Amino acid sequence: DAKATLLQIAQWQERRRTEQNGYATAFPVGFQLNTVRAGSAAAGPVTYNITIDAGATATAYRLTATRAGPMATDPCGDFTLTNLGVRGNENLGGGRTSDGCWAR
């Protein structure tokens, strides 16, 4: 769910940049996602908290999906995605790699 949601938000960011000449630095009020929480708008079970990281600008952003609830101990840690398409993970455990987690 985290990977799919990050990719969905990246598509939204690209549409926004095309239409408004810049990326969003925060989610708009009422922004809804399918199965994770973005900011304070919740829809479905909270398994990851999605944020646009501090430091986002009209020309660059980094999204983070931080584990929560039933996913809090997932060894793939927290997923990240940048405007350049760079996929990563923070707080990996159990010998996991970022490439392996994104491929799951």
Side-chain angles (χ1 to χ4, degrees):
D1 288 345
K3 295 180 290 185
T5 301
L6 289 178
L7 293 170
Q8 176 187 3
I9 294 170
Q11 289 175 348
W12 169 75
Q13 283 280 48
E14 292 305 324
R15 282 191 307 273
R16 186 185 187 285
R17 185 169 187 203
T18 299
E19 294 169 358
Q20 299 181 25
N21 201 30
Y23 295 122
T25 57
F27 292 112
V29 174
F31 189 78
Q32 295 287 316
L33 299 171
N34 294 331
T35 59
V36 297
R37 182 188 322 204
S40 61
V46 179
T47 54
Y48 287 87
N49 291 309
I50 309 293
T51 56
I52 300 173
D53 294 355
T57 66
T59 59
Y61 67 85
R62 181 175 182 260
L63 304 171
T64 300
T66 305
R67 299 168 292 174
M71 297 303 292
T73 59
D74 187 289
C76 280
D78 306 322
F79 288 84
T80 62
L81 181 64
T82 72
N83 60 291
L84 298 175
V86 176
R87 299 173 180 189
N89 292 75
E90 297 175 345
N91 306 311
L92 289 165
R96 300 282 181 162
T97 66
S98 191
D99 288 341
C101 288
W102 274 90
R104 285 181 34 190

